[in-house]
Amino acid sequence: METRQISIEANIITKVLQARGVKAGLELDEARRVVHLMTPSSVIYRLRIDAQTPVDKVMALQPDFCSHVSRWRVDHIDLPDDFYTTVRVDRDSQTIEINRVDPQIVPFMDCMKDWKARPMTAFCGLAYTFGGLKSVTWRLDDDNQPHVLIAGTTGSGKTNALMGIIASLAFNNSPEVLQFYIVDMKRSKDLRPLDLLPHVAAVAREPGDAVEMLEAFHANMEERERGHASKAVRRVLILDELASLTESKHRAVVLDLLSDIARKCRESNENLIVCTQSPKQTVLGDQLKGLLALRLVGAVTSKVEANTAVNIPGSGAEMLPGKGAMIYRNTGSMKRFQAPLVEGPMAIVRRAKMIWEDVPPIVARVPVVAQVPEIAHAQAPVPTVPATTFVAPVPPAQGQVDKDAAKIRQAWQDGAKLADLIRIMVDKPGDKTVNTGGAGRTRTLAAIEALKAEKIATIATTTTATTPKASIFDQKQPKRGIFPRSSSSSSDLKAM
């Protein structure tokens, strides 16, 4: 964006303020140049407001600012066909934000290189301020923000923000301590690849399946409350496009379940993420709306929706330019931030699998129904498990086990990692793109058991034959593990 354009648009804002008799202007530096901040999606100008002038007077001029800047742009700039100008006044920071004609992308993977990750903390985006660049995060273990509402119309960056949260959590927390339960009512092509993340325990895309998953999640939450199920694994329930459920025949059941989950699951080491294009009262319900403390809001269609989504009057969410430009609202604070673009969901899946390749995959526990000739008396219905992405693999035949054991014998004796043994077993040693889960993992583990049965030494001795090497069974830390893994397992899924 050219310096000349920045100066002209700043001058337009100043003239509108003067014409309307509002005692305010844009801040200038010592050389009488307008002070501004260039961000990927907009240009931000600092306001100087007279002490006797309410900020609301400046905010009331947003339509005038937008109209005059838009008219100048149409007359002097070759604009894209789908481009529209937005001008937003930020009450808290007392700034004016005008969207760029040439918005820039903030790549998610670039953000991950510089971000100092912490356990159970999600990366939401970057806040561009005159005081410097700051990371915007969500701490899952913070009692003041256990649940999140992500709102915004099509093109606002809502789904992209959700993908960034899921990916940042998956990169930095083991599947042994963090699991996702996803209700994807949009059947999003962007979210679908994330089904393959090692952290995903269950996925539902049909209304009936979604209700079953919510009921099962709620039942397990109550088991945790009573102390009958472990709380060691943090579970995150994710609903993309809530309106598809609350504007259907399942509305009453869904809102009752979600309201109870939102009230209680914080104590059970669980969190809730709700996404919707239309953050209306009819979609969220009174109880659920009040329990979603953290709000990540992109562009919405009206001031009424902006007030409902952000839960603060005059947030200006209806004037956001979209494409990842969002508002972060928690308790009394509000700030603008840019959600990064998550490109290539499968690349996210591959990276997460490589990081946690030594962690066993989550396997669905499907109840077994016995064949009985006749039931003499009434039986309580057996709870069903919602459909999941993962299916328990079939154990290999003994002949195949012997062949696999022969392939990996030497590497196993040398203390190779499980992932490397799997690659050797499938004749692709050193190939990091090999899927080290599923059937390959099952075959390798069966081969290892066969080698143990042969009483072959599981450790290779050193030259002094006194100090043993660590075997695969002693290697508890996952590859590139950032945080210590919990000693707990996924046993608390049994109620699901």
Side-chain angles (χ1 to χ4, degrees):
M1 193 166 174
E2 296 180 359
T3 304
R4 177 176 173 271
Q5 180 185 341
I6 292 172
S7 298
I8 290 174
E9 292 180 357
N11 190 42
I12 291 173
I13 298 295
T14 301
K15 287 183 177 180
V16 171
L17 289 168
Q18 292 172 349
R20 298 294 182 267
V22 178
K23 295 182 179 180
L26 300 184
E27 188 173 310
L28 304 176
D29 61 16
E30 294 178 355
R32 306 295 297 170
R33 292 171 302 193
V34 64
V35 175
H36 68 278
L37 174 68
M38 184 78 73
T39 79
S41 61
S42 59
V43 180
I44 300 175
Y45 303 90
R46 263 184 175 159
L47 277 167
R48 291 185 295 104
I49 304 177
D50 185 83
Q52 304 302 318
T53 302
V55 181
D56 288 348
K57 278 195 172 183
V58 182
M59 295 187 68
L61 296 179
Q62 283 181 143
D64 284 352
F65 295 148
C66 189
S67 174
H68 286 80
V69 173
S70 178
R71 189 179 307 152
W72 181 86
R73 286 180 168 182
V74 170
D75 292 341
H76 296 87
I77 301 176
D78 185 15
L79 300 173
D81 293 338
D82 60 345
F83 182 83
Y84 59 93
T85 296
T86 63
V87 181
R88 174 179 172 269
V89 179
D90 192 297
R91 181 198 302 272
D92 287 0
S93 62
Q94 296 198 359
T95 57
I96 290 184
E97 171 188 356
I98 305 180
N99 67 324
R100 293 177 57 169
V101 177
D102 57 343
Q104 305 298 304
I105 292 173
V106 180
F108 173 78
M109 295 307 294
D110 287 355
C111 296
M112 289 295 97
K113 294 176 184 176
D114 301 325
W115 180 50
K116 295 180 180 179
R118 293 183 298 175
M120 296 303 168
T121 302
F123 181 81
C124 302
L126 296 170
Y128 294 82
T129 70
F130 285 95
L133 189 63
K134 300 177 182 178
S135 296
V136 177
T137 60
W138 169 41
R139 283 184 52 198
L140 278 66
D141 55 359
D142 186 345
D143 290 345
N144 295 320
Q145 50 182 21
H147 312 309
V148 179
L149 170 66
I150 306 178
T153 188
T154 301
S156 64
K158 170 176 59 66
T159 300
N160 187 73
L162 174 61
M163 290 171 61
I165 288 174
I166 294 174
S168 60
L169 288 171
F171 288 167
N172 300 303
N173 298 275
S174 167
E176 290 184 329
V177 297
L178 177 67
Q179 294 173 3
F180 299 127
Y181 293 76
I182 302 175
V183 177
D184 178 18
M185 298 309 299
K186 282 172 52 180
R187 301 178 182 86
S188 170
K189 65 178 182 180
D190 296 318
L191 282 184
R192 190 174 291 272
L194 301 187
D195 295 2
L196 303 175
L197 282 172
H199 302 70
V200 174
V203 178
R205 290 191 168 87
E206 298 296 333
D209 295 338
V211 173
E212 287 186 17
M213 180 189 289
L214 294 180
E215 290 173 339
F217 191 95
H218 182 269
N220 186 261
M221 178 194 73
E222 293 190 324
E223 289 296 298
R224 288 184 171 208
E225 276 189 305
R226 299 186 185 101
H228 298 161
S230 171
K231 299 180 183 180
V233 178
R234 180 175 290 277
R235 304 190 309 161
V236 182
L237 176 60
I238 302 166
L239 293 97
D240 192 16
E241 199 39 65
L242 179 64
S244 298
L245 287 175
T246 57
E247 294 181 347
S248 70
K249 64 180 181 180
H250 302 288
R251 171 184 171 81
V253 174
V254 168
L255 284 180
D256 284 348
L257 287 169
L258 287 179
S259 297
D260 204 41
I261 288 171
R263 276 196 303 269
K264 301 176 181 177
C265 73
R266 177 182 60 184
E267 305 297 330
S268 302
N269 201 24
E270 295 164 318
N271 301 88
L272 178 62
I273 302 176
V274 174
C275 304
T276 182
Q277 290 188 17
S278 180
K280 297 181 294 187
Q281 199 80 7
T282 54
V283 173
L284 297 172
D286 291 331
Q287 294 187 43
L288 181 60
K289 174 179 175 289
L291 293 166
L292 300 170
L294 179 60
R295 310 292 177 90
L296 307 178
V297 182
V300 292
T301 57
S302 68
K303 185 178 292 187
V304 173
E305 287 195 354
N307 292 344
T308 303
V310 183
N311 208 23
I312 291 181
S315 67
E318 75 279 9
M319 301 301 292
L320 290 171
K323 298 183 179 179
M326 306 188 81
I327 292 173
Y328 176 100
R329 155 83 162 88
N330 183 34
T331 58
S333 64
M334 183 178 72
K335 56 189 171 186
R336 261 281 282 116
F337 76 98
Q338 181 72 32
L341 178 63
V342 181
E343 294 184 295
M346 281 309 302
I348 299 295
V349 172
R350 285 193 293 270
R351 177 172 176 179
K353 284 188 172 183
M354 289 178 65
I355 293 173
W356 307 112
E357 61 183 353
D358 291 334
V359 179
I362 304 169
V363 178
R365 288 167 169 77
V366 181
V368 177
V369 181
Q371 295 285 339
V372 293
E374 185 176 353
I375 299 177
H377 54 280
Q379 299 285 328
V382 178
T384 58
V385 175
T388 66
T389 305
F390 305 102
V391 179
V394 178
Q398 186 57 45
Q400 184 64 52
V401 171
D402 294 339
K403 292 179 182 178
D404 294 339
K407 287 183 180 180
I408 69 171
R409 181 177 282 107
Q410 187 58 53
W412 177 73
Q413 287 179 295
D414 291 340
K417 291 185 177 181
L418 176 57
D420 294 326
L421 295 179
I422 295 172
R423 296 184 184 110
I424 293 171
M425 187 269 296
V426 297
D427 298 321
K428 292 185 178 180
D431 187 349
K432 294 289 186 180
T433 64
V434 172
N435 182 3
T436 55
R441 182 184 294 268
T442 302
R443 284 174 55 189
T444 306
L445 292 175
I448 290 172
E449 290 301 317
L451 292 171
K452 289 171 65 180
E454 294 174 12
K455 297 184 179 180
I456 295 178
T458 59
I459 55 174
T461 59
T462 62
T463 53
T464 61
T466 57
T467 306
K469 287 185 181 178
S471 72
I472 184 173
F473 306 103
D474 297 321
Q475 295 172 2
K476 298 299 184 183
Q477 292 298 326
K479 179 182 178 182
R480 294 177 60 194
I482 298 178
F483 304 116
R485 289 165 56 189
S486 169
S487 58
S488 61
S489 66
S490 304
S491 60
D492 65 329
L493 283 171
K494 61 185 179 181
M496 296 296 290

